[in-house]
Amino acid sequence: MSVISQPRRTLAVPGWIGSVTKAREFGVLLALILLVAVTTTVNPRFADAQSLRDMLLNSSILVILAVGQAIVVITRNVDLSVGSVLGLTAFATGKLCSAMPDLPIPLVILAGVALGGVLGAVNGALIALAKVPALVVTLGTLYIFRGIDFAWARGQHINPSDLPKGLLDMGSGSLLGIPYLAIIAMIVMLAVGLYLRHLRSGREFYAIGSDLNAANLYGLRVGRRVFTAFVASGALAGLAGVAYAAKYGNLDATAGQGLELNVVAAAVVGGVAIAGGVGTAYGAAIGAVLLTTITSALPVLGVSPFWQGAMVGALILASIGLDKYLAHRTELRLRGLDARVH
């Protein structure tokens, strides 16, 4: 008696669910959800409305910086000067508001973004025109911008009482329970994410990061795109500087000091490949929220804050390992396709 095998029935999965679960950002988002769930189990107040609001507020500045860093890293570069750009623009914002307290807040924001863009243009010009490695240039400007900040401040300290109420309200107010700064960060993330995905000039960043020689042979304006990436990173760091001034109010020359490594870590943990050509603004933003949440969760879980750096380092290594694995799997798949074609 012959046995007729029946076709195996598989559960149909909607295409959009498959796309979401295969996205590199899905794993980071899952880790964030698990972290919040475990911490809430230990302390239910960790996920109450006020805690979630604080979490959004505390991560907003890092999100803005990480999104800007993602643009640069996708082109296979890195911007180590973002912490100093933030510090300089934050202090400049405080001085501007102290001198002109009636200046409309949108103009204050534009001034901060413009200053950050100019500082980013310095980086971009040195890297794109002078062909100096980004690591060297931005490491140098990290110290130069910080030195300018210290020379300008000369020990001065700007207090919240020196700043206009409108700026402080921007840092502490909310709309429907969502902090203004978090709304600004989400707008930045969506705008950059859509630009990178849907516009030709945005896709060219990925082409440059994936294969620089191929991009040159294809006729892409590599220097211009790299310059633009650093201007965008600087402008967003300037926006983050205004946000810093609005949130904290107390400003001196040390604002944002040491923040640059957290920014790079947030982008890498969020799935932006340090080798370039891969990653999204959404992933960088989720990575920033994850790192901020880890800082808040460790005391609740009874883990010493001294382990925070070790955990961030482990996440970076895990992300790089995942990048290598995915790149190897893609290479094997392409080889298989090539063999079938021939």
Side-chain angles (χ1 to χ4, degrees):
M1 184 174 65
S2 63
V3 178
I4 301 175
S5 61
Q6 298 294 326
R8 181 180 298 176
R9 291 184 177 180
T10 57
L11 183 63
V13 178
W16 67 270
I17 294 180
S19 300
V20 169
T21 54
K22 289 178 181 176
R24 299 166 66 90
E25 297 80 7
F26 180 74
V28 188
L29 181 61
L30 191 61
L32 175 62
I33 294 172
L34 286 174
L35 177 63
V36 173
V38 171
T39 311
T40 304
T41 303
V42 176
N43 183 356
R45 293 181 59 188
F46 186 77
D48 64 16
Q50 184 60 43
S51 297
L52 292 177
R53 181 184 180 281
D54 293 341
M55 199 182 303
L56 289 174
L57 181 61
N58 292 334
S59 61
S60 55
I61 293 175
L62 189 58
V63 167
I64 295 172
L65 292 169
V67 169
Q69 188 70 235
I71 302 173
V72 172
V73 176
I74 285 171
T75 64
R76 202 181 291 189
N77 286 289
V78 67
D79 187 353
L80 296 179
S81 68
V82 289
S84 297
V85 175
L86 179 147
L88 189 53
T89 53
F91 191 77
T93 299
K95 296 293 286 184
L96 178 64
C97 290
S98 301
M100 304 173 68
D102 296 328
L103 192 66
I105 297 304
L107 291 182
V108 174
I109 296 174
L110 284 176
V113 171
L115 177 58
V118 170
L119 299 175
V122 173
N123 286 329
L126 290 171
I127 294 162
L129 300 179
K131 309 296 182 186
V132 181
L135 181 67
V136 178
V137 169
T138 57
L139 183 62
T141 54
L142 179 156
Y143 289 107
I144 293 172
F145 296 157
R146 184 64 65 183
I148 294 172
D149 199 2
F150 273 101
W152 187 10
R154 292 180 180 274
Q156 295 179 66
H157 191 93
I158 298 175
N159 298 307
S161 59
D162 302 322
L163 301 177
K165 183 176 181 300
L167 183 67
L168 297 175
D169 287 345
M170 174 182 149
S172 60
S174 61
L175 177 66
L176 301 176
I178 304 175
Y180 290 141
L181 295 186
I183 293 174
I184 292 173
M186 283 188 277
I187 292 173
V188 168
M189 176 194 71
L190 289 173
V192 174
L194 292 174
Y195 168 73
L196 291 175
R197 181 174 177 80
H198 295 290
L199 293 188
R200 177 187 171 89
S201 55
R203 303 304 300 173
E204 287 180 358
F205 289 116
Y206 289 96
I208 293 169
S210 298
D211 193 328
L212 182 60
N213 293 327
N216 277 314
L217 289 173
Y218 190 72
L220 298 184
R221 298 177 175 176
V222 174
R224 177 178 294 185
R225 286 284 166 261
V226 171
F227 177 80
T228 304
F230 278 93
V231 172
S233 176
L236 290 180
L239 176 62
V242 178
Y244 186 98
K247 182 186 177 196
Y248 295 103
N250 290 299
L251 302 170
D252 57 23
T254 63
Q257 200 164 26
L259 193 57
E260 50 277 345
L261 295 183
N262 281 341
V263 176
V264 176
V268 173
V269 169
V272 182
I274 199 70
V278 175
T280 64
Y282 314 118
I286 297 172
V289 176
L290 176 60
L291 295 191
T292 306
T293 306
I294 287 175
T295 305
S296 304
L298 288 183
V300 178
L301 296 174
V303 179
S304 170
F306 294 112
W307 283 102
Q308 179 189 346
M311 292 185 67
V312 172
L315 284 173
I316 292 173
L317 292 179
S319 300
I320 293 174
L322 180 62
D323 283 339
K324 292 292 184 185
Y325 167 72
L326 292 176
H328 180 65
R329 196 176 66 175
T330 302
E331 184 181 353
L332 290 179
R333 189 173 67 247
L334 291 175
R335 284 181 179 175
L337 288 174
D338 186 64
R340 282 199 290 271
V341 169
H342 294 86

